Amino acid sequence: MNQTFTIKEKTKQILVLLIPILITQLGMFSMVFFNTIMSGKYDASNLAGVAIGSSIWSPVFMGISGILLAVSPIAAQRFGEKKNGEVSSVVKHGIYLSVIIAVVVIIAGFFLLDPILNKMNLPARVEKTAFEYLVGLSYGLLPLFIFNVLRSFIYALGKTRVVMVILLLALPLNFFLNYCLIFGNFGFPELGGAGAGYATSVTYWAILAMTIFIVKTQVPFSLFPVFANMKEFSWDKCKEILIIGVPMGLSTFFETSMFAVVTILLSKFSVTTIAAYQSALNIVSFLYMIPLSISMAQTVLVGYEVGARRYKDAKQYSWLGIYLAILIASLSGVFVVLFRYQVAGFYSNEAAVINLTANFLIFALFFQICDAIQATAQAALRGYKDVNLAFIMTLIAYWLICLPVGYLLAHFTSLGARGYWIGLTFGLLAAGIALSIRLLYIQKRKFAEVEIKEVV
């Protein structure tokens, strides 16, 4: 990353970081897509089992990733301060945490997975596939968590293209292993949907191996002795990551689980409604990759400028990211609304499902804009390492506004399932407004005061 002086230069800097991050996020999204689609080609029970397994794992993974991705703003600030030794220490202790968390998750899964699946009252074959899929996936938890730490380190240095290349190289391997392990091709065992879990785990190990090789051998990463003196351990360093990471992780977890709860609540509606909601949600989730990628780039850039004590630049990056996300969300939302029937047609051949999905997608425009505001405002605050109040704001917005408003509109008005979309949109808008106000306060009061004192 380089110091920038104009809005044009800053926009270019964001795009340079953003595009590889976006491709990386789409690559990780594609792995889940491959798992689901290829399991569906095996049979319907395996498709359902993998889908259930993914729905259980997704909130957990997103929450834990939020904790480990805290390495990014912390390392970016240290990098901006030119404290390279502290950058290495932060990454090293992030790796320690990733190992500890992986062990805790595996132990928790050992005791909790069976009871959770039993309470869902699934058909025996679906439950068996979901269980075996998650067991297969568990072998890849350790490399996945360590990779997330190293990815945060690479992002903190502004070299986002490296991770993109690694993911693009890994996708064909994941596809090939799915083909072998799900269907039993080339002499491999035929595992059905469970094979997707094992294929993904092997892919994660390959991704980690490539990442470690690059970090150890390629400049500028090799200038940071991340893997040296691994016996050195400080709980205070781990605590620093957790203080920033836990609110980040919980915020992400509660947002992800909120959508899962809405899915459960919608189970009371018709099969057509459920299918249409899932189709619309899948489309919106795909489009969310754009503001999510902007937010990840934004956190790094704001953190870097704060570390370098260039608070004016940090402020400009904060709002530039928000404006860019709103612009792209508006354009993509308008596109989806205009072509909603054609887009819905990709997910179903049934006229009733297509029509209802298209109806849901009308709300996508407003939903996307509100989601873009809250995601990027929260990302800017993370760059300032201001996360605790942001977590409380999002928790209130998601669980005390989104869900209650959606439930009331869906069950006590003529809106039906559409009420949940309005509730989600209203809650995300509330989060976006609250986080933006907090961002203004941080910039005008806290960091403006620091800058004035330094000048004096």
Side-chain angles (χ1 to χ4, degrees), residues 310-329:
R310 294 190 289 265
Y311 302 118
K312 181 181 178 182
D313 292 306
K315 181 179 179 180
Q316 289 177 335
Y317 274 125
S318 299
W319 294 102
L320 188 59
I322 293 172
Y323 298 148
L324 182 61
I326 292 173
L327 175 62
I328 296 176

PDB file of all heavy atoms in Angstrom, residues 310-329:
ATOM      1  N   ARG A 310      -2.522   9.411   9.763  1.00  0.00           N
ATOM      2  CA  ARG A 310      -3.080  10.256   8.704  1.00  0.00           C
ATOM      3  C   ARG A 310      -4.602  10.159   8.806  1.00  0.00           C
ATOM      4  O   ARG A 310      -5.261   9.463   8.030  1.00  0.00           O
ATOM      5  CB  ARG A 310      -2.573   9.819   7.330  1.00  0.00           C
ATOM      6  CG  ARG A 310      -1.076  10.024   7.143  1.00  0.00           C
ATOM      7  CD  ARG A 310      -0.667   9.812   5.696  1.00  0.00           C
ATOM      8  NE  ARG A 310      -0.734   8.420   5.310  1.00  0.00           N
ATOM      9  CZ  ARG A 310       0.294   7.572   5.321  1.00  0.00           C
ATOM     10  NH1 ARG A 310       1.493   7.985   5.723  1.00  0.00           N
ATOM     11  NH2 ARG A 310       0.152   6.323   4.938  1.00  0.00           N
ATOM     12  N   TYR A 311      -5.161  10.855   9.782  1.00  0.00           N
ATOM     13  CA  TYR A 311      -6.577  10.686  10.115  1.00  0.00           C
ATOM     14  C   TYR A 311      -7.510  11.247   9.046  1.00  0.00           C
ATOM     15  O   TYR A 311      -8.628  10.761   8.886  1.00  0.00           O
ATOM     16  CB  TYR A 311      -6.865  11.313  11.480  1.00  0.00           C
ATOM     17  CG  TYR A 311      -6.011  10.722  12.577  1.00  0.00           C
ATOM     18  CD1 TYR A 311      -5.113  11.504  13.302  1.00  0.00           C
ATOM     19  CD2 TYR A 311      -6.071   9.356  12.856  1.00  0.00           C
ATOM     20  CE1 TYR A 311      -4.317  10.947  14.290  1.00  0.00           C
ATOM     21  CE2 TYR A 311      -5.282   8.791  13.846  1.00  0.00           C
ATOM     22  CZ  TYR A 311      -4.404   9.590  14.556  1.00  0.00           C
ATOM     23  OH  TYR A 311      -3.611   9.034  15.517  1.00  0.00           O
ATOM     24  N   LYS A 312      -7.056  12.276   8.337  1.00  0.00           N
ATOM     25  CA  LYS A 312      -7.860  12.810   7.244  1.00  0.00           C
ATOM     26  C   LYS A 312      -8.021  11.769   6.144  1.00  0.00           C
ATOM     27  O   LYS A 312      -9.114  11.584   5.588  1.00  0.00           O
ATOM     28  CB  LYS A 312      -7.207  14.073   6.683  1.00  0.00           C
ATOM     29  CG  LYS A 312      -8.003  14.708   5.549  1.00  0.00           C
ATOM     30  CD  LYS A 312      -7.305  15.946   5.011  1.00  0.00           C
ATOM     31  CE  LYS A 312      -8.078  16.542   3.838  1.00  0.00           C
ATOM     32  NZ  LYS A 312      -7.382  17.732   3.269  1.00  0.00           N
ATOM     33  N   ASP A 313      -6.932  11.059   5.830  1.00  0.00           N
ATOM     34  CA  ASP A 313      -6.980  10.009   4.808  1.00  0.00           C
ATOM     35  C   ASP A 313      -7.866   8.853   5.268  1.00  0.00           C
ATOM     36  O   ASP A 313      -8.620   8.281   4.472  1.00  0.00           O
ATOM     37  CB  ASP A 313      -5.569   9.505   4.503  1.00  0.00           C
ATOM     38  CG  ASP A 313      -4.721  10.560   3.809  1.00  0.00           C
ATOM     39  OD1 ASP A 313      -5.159  11.083   2.777  1.00  0.00           O
ATOM     40  OD2 ASP A 313      -3.626  10.861   4.309  1.00  0.00           O
ATOM     41  N   ALA A 314      -7.771   8.505   6.556  1.00  0.00           N
ATOM     42  CA  ALA A 314      -8.608   7.425   7.092  1.00  0.00           C
ATOM     43  C   ALA A 314     -10.085   7.782   6.963  1.00  0.00           C
ATOM     44  O   ALA A 314     -10.916   6.939   6.580  1.00  0.00           O
ATOM     45  CB  ALA A 314      -8.258   7.175   8.560  1.00  0.00           C
ATOM     46  N   LYS A 315     -10.413   9.040   7.245  1.00  0.00           N
ATOM     47  CA  LYS A 315     -11.796   9.500   7.124  1.00  0.00           C
ATOM     48  C   LYS A 315     -12.271   9.427   5.678  1.00  0.00           C
ATOM     49  O   LYS A 315     -13.393   8.982   5.397  1.00  0.00           O
ATOM     50  CB  LYS A 315     -11.893  10.936   7.644  1.00  0.00           C
ATOM     51  CG  LYS A 315     -13.291  11.519   7.590  1.00  0.00           C
ATOM     52  CD  LYS A 315     -13.305  12.939   8.156  1.00  0.00           C
ATOM     53  CE  LYS A 315     -14.700  13.538   8.096  1.00  0.00           C
ATOM     54  NZ  LYS A 315     -14.725  14.915   8.654  1.00  0.00           N
ATOM     55  N   GLN A 316     -11.423   9.836   4.744  1.00  0.00           N
ATOM     56  CA  GLN A 316     -11.806   9.808   3.330  1.00  0.00           C
ATOM     57  C   GLN A 316     -12.023   8.380   2.842  1.00  0.00           C
ATOM     58  O   GLN A 316     -12.980   8.106   2.108  1.00  0.00           O
ATOM     59  CB  GLN A 316     -10.736  10.509   2.492  1.00  0.00           C
ATOM     60  CG  GLN A 316     -10.712  12.016   2.685  1.00  0.00           C
ATOM     61  CD  GLN A 316      -9.598  12.698   1.910  1.00  0.00           C
ATOM     62  OE1 GLN A 316      -8.576  12.094   1.597  1.00  0.00           O
ATOM     63  NE2 GLN A 316      -9.785  13.970   1.602  1.00  0.00           N
ATOM     64  N   TYR A 317     -11.158   7.459   3.259  1.00  0.00           N
ATOM     65  CA  TYR A 317     -11.332   6.052   2.889  1.00  0.00           C
ATOM     66  C   TYR A 317     -12.627   5.493   3.466  1.00  0.00           C
ATOM     67  O   TYR A 317     -13.330   4.697   2.818  1.00  0.00           O
ATOM     68  CB  TYR A 317     -10.150   5.218   3.373  1.00  0.00           C
ATOM     69  CG  TYR A 317      -8.979   5.176   2.423  1.00  0.00           C
ATOM     70  CD1 TYR A 317      -7.702   5.547   2.836  1.00  0.00           C
ATOM     71  CD2 TYR A 317      -9.147   4.743   1.109  1.00  0.00           C
ATOM     72  CE1 TYR A 317      -6.621   5.506   1.969  1.00  0.00           C
ATOM     73  CE2 TYR A 317      -8.073   4.692   0.233  1.00  0.00           C
ATOM     74  CZ  TYR A 317      -6.811   5.078   0.667  1.00  0.00           C
ATOM     75  OH  TYR A 317      -5.752   5.037  -0.202  1.00  0.00           O
ATOM     76  N   SER A 318     -12.958   5.904   4.693  1.00  0.00           N
ATOM     77  CA  SER A 318     -14.176   5.420   5.343  1.00  0.00           C
ATOM     78  C   SER A 318     -15.403   5.731   4.504  1.00  0.00           C
ATOM     79  O   SER A 318     -16.209   4.838   4.182  1.00  0.00           O
ATOM     80  CB  SER A 318     -14.337   6.059   6.727  1.00  0.00           C
ATOM     81  OG  SER A 318     -13.256   5.734   7.569  1.00  0.00           O
ATOM     82  N   TRP A 319     -15.554   6.992   4.142  1.00  0.00           N
ATOM     83  CA  TRP A 319     -16.754   7.410   3.425  1.00  0.00           C
ATOM     84  C   TRP A 319     -16.715   7.051   1.950  1.00  0.00           C
ATOM     85  O   TRP A 319     -17.762   6.800   1.336  1.00  0.00           O
ATOM     86  CB  TRP A 319     -16.977   8.906   3.629  1.00  0.00           C
ATOM     87  CG  TRP A 319     -17.286   9.183   5.062  1.00  0.00           C
ATOM     88  CD1 TRP A 319     -16.454   9.687   6.012  1.00  0.00           C
ATOM     89  CD2 TRP A 319     -18.519   8.886   5.741  1.00  0.00           C
ATOM     90  NE1 TRP A 319     -17.070   9.748   7.233  1.00  0.00           N
ATOM     91  CE2 TRP A 319     -18.343   9.271   7.104  1.00  0.00           C
ATOM     92  CE3 TRP A 319     -19.738   8.362   5.339  1.00  0.00           C
ATOM     93  CZ2 TRP A 319     -19.349   9.113   8.049  1.00  0.00           C
ATOM     94  CZ3 TRP A 319     -20.749   8.217   6.277  1.00  0.00           C
ATOM     95  CH2 TRP A 319     -20.552   8.590   7.614  1.00  0.00           C
ATOM     96  N   LEU A 320     -15.520   6.998   1.390  1.00  0.00           N
ATOM     97  CA  LEU A 320     -15.403   6.572  -0.009  1.00  0.00           C
ATOM     98  C   LEU A 320     -15.878   5.138  -0.167  1.00  0.00           C
ATOM     99  O   LEU A 320     -16.584   4.788  -1.127  1.00  0.00           O
ATOM    100  CB  LEU A 320     -13.948   6.709  -0.471  1.00  0.00           C
ATOM    101  CG  LEU A 320     -13.667   6.486  -1.959  1.00  0.00           C
ATOM    102  CD1 LEU A 320     -14.458   7.458  -2.816  1.00  0.00           C
ATOM    103  CD2 LEU A 320     -12.178   6.640  -2.243  1.00  0.00           C
ATOM    104  N   GLY A 321     -15.520   4.283   0.806  1.00  0.00           N
ATOM    105  CA  GLY A 321     -15.971   2.895   0.777  1.00  0.00           C
ATOM    106  C   GLY A 321     -17.482   2.782   0.900  1.00  0.00           C
ATOM    107  O   GLY A 321     -18.123   1.988   0.202  1.00  0.00           O
ATOM    108  N   ILE A 322     -18.068   3.601   1.773  1.00  0.00           N
ATOM    109  CA  ILE A 322     -19.527   3.590   1.949  1.00  0.00           C
ATOM    110  C   ILE A 322     -20.226   4.045   0.674  1.00  0.00           C
ATOM    111  O   ILE A 322     -21.184   3.407   0.208  1.00  0.00           O
ATOM    112  CB  ILE A 322     -19.930   4.478   3.136  1.00  0.00           C
ATOM    113  CG1 ILE A 322     -19.427   3.860   4.459  1.00  0.00           C
ATOM    114  CG2 ILE A 322     -21.447   4.670   3.196  1.00  0.00           C
ATOM    115  CD1 ILE A 322     -19.605   4.749   5.673  1.00  0.00           C
ATOM    116  N   TYR A 323     -19.744   5.141   0.083  1.00  0.00           N
ATOM    117  CA  TYR A 323     -20.370   5.652  -1.146  1.00  0.00           C
ATOM    118  C   TYR A 323     -20.240   4.658  -2.296  1.00  0.00           C
ATOM    119  O   TYR A 323     -21.183   4.469  -3.077  1.00  0.00           O
ATOM    120  CB  TYR A 323     -19.734   6.994  -1.544  1.00  0.00           C
ATOM    121  CG  TYR A 323     -19.915   8.093  -0.530  1.00  0.00           C
ATOM    122  CD1 TYR A 323     -18.946   9.083  -0.362  1.00  0.00           C
ATOM    123  CD2 TYR A 323     -21.049   8.150   0.280  1.00  0.00           C
ATOM    124  CE1 TYR A 323     -19.100  10.093   0.578  1.00  0.00           C
ATOM    125  CE2 TYR A 323     -21.207   9.153   1.227  1.00  0.00           C
ATOM    126  CZ  TYR A 323     -20.228  10.122   1.373  1.00  0.00           C
ATOM    127  OH  TYR A 323     -20.384  11.116   2.304  1.00  0.00           O
ATOM    128  N   LEU A 324     -19.072   4.034  -2.403  1.00  0.00           N
ATOM    129  CA  LEU A 324     -18.841   3.051  -3.471  1.00  0.00           C
ATOM    130  C   LEU A 324     -19.782   1.857  -3.304  1.00  0.00           C
ATOM    131  O   LEU A 324     -20.366   1.363  -4.282  1.00  0.00           O
ATOM    132  CB  LEU A 324     -17.382   2.589  -3.452  1.00  0.00           C
ATOM    133  CG  LEU A 324     -16.954   1.595  -4.534  1.00  0.00           C
ATOM    134  CD1 LEU A 324     -17.126   2.207  -5.924  1.00  0.00           C
ATOM    135  CD2 LEU A 324     -15.503   1.162  -4.324  1.00  0.00           C
ATOM    136  N   ALA A 325     -19.941   1.385  -2.064  1.00  0.00           N
ATOM    137  CA  ALA A 325     -20.830   0.247  -1.795  1.00  0.00           C
ATOM    138  C   ALA A 325     -22.279   0.597  -2.123  1.00  0.00           C
ATOM    139  O   ALA A 325     -23.007  -0.224  -2.698  1.00  0.00           O
ATOM    140  CB  ALA A 325     -20.703  -0.186  -0.330  1.00  0.00           C
ATOM    141  N   ILE A 326     -22.710   1.810  -1.761  1.00  0.00           N
ATOM    142  CA  ILE A 326     -24.084   2.236  -2.062  1.00  0.00           C
ATOM    143  C   ILE A 326     -24.305   2.293  -3.569  1.00  0.00           C
ATOM    144  O   ILE A 326     -25.346   1.843  -4.077  1.00  0.00           O
ATOM    145  CB  ILE A 326     -24.376   3.611  -1.429  1.00  0.00           C
ATOM    146  CG1 ILE A 326     -24.406   3.498   0.101  1.00  0.00           C
ATOM    147  CG2 ILE A 326     -25.709   4.170  -1.938  1.00  0.00           C
ATOM    148  CD1 ILE A 326     -24.518   4.838   0.809  1.00  0.00           C
ATOM    149  N   LEU A 327     -23.328   2.845  -4.299  1.00  0.00           N
ATOM    150  CA  LEU A 327     -23.448   2.957  -5.754  1.00  0.00           C
ATOM    151  C   LEU A 327     -23.580   1.583  -6.400  1.00  0.00           C
ATOM    152  O   LEU A 327     -24.491   1.348  -7.212  1.00  0.00           O
ATOM    153  CB  LEU A 327     -22.223   3.689  -6.315  1.00  0.00           C
ATOM    154  CG  LEU A 327     -22.135   3.776  -7.846  1.00  0.00           C
ATOM    155  CD1 LEU A 327     -23.311   4.566  -8.410  1.00  0.00           C
ATOM    156  CD2 LEU A 327     -20.799   4.397  -8.275  1.00  0.00           C
ATOM    157  N   ILE A 328     -22.682   0.653  -6.028  1.00  0.00           N
ATOM    158  CA  ILE A 328     -22.715  -0.679  -6.636  1.00  0.00           C
ATOM    159  C   ILE A 328     -23.975  -1.437  -6.231  1.00  0.00           C
ATOM    160  O   ILE A 328     -24.594  -2.124  -7.046  1.00  0.00           O
ATOM    161  CB  ILE A 328     -21.445  -1.476  -6.252  1.00  0.00           C
ATOM    162  CG1 ILE A 328     -20.201  -0.790  -6.842  1.00  0.00           C
ATOM    163  CG2 ILE A 328     -21.531  -2.914  -6.743  1.00  0.00           C
ATOM    164  CD1 ILE A 328     -18.889  -1.422  -6.443  1.00  0.00           C
ATOM    165  N   ALA A 329     -24.375  -1.296  -4.960  1.00  0.00           N
ATOM    166  CA  ALA A 329     -25.600  -1.964  -4.498  1.00  0.00           C
ATOM    167  C   ALA A 329     -26.819  -1.435  -5.231  1.00  0.00           C
ATOM    168  O   ALA A 329     -27.730  -2.195  -5.576  1.00  0.00           O
ATOM    169  CB  ALA A 329     -25.765  -1.769  -2.988  1.00  0.00           C
TER     170      ALA A 329
END
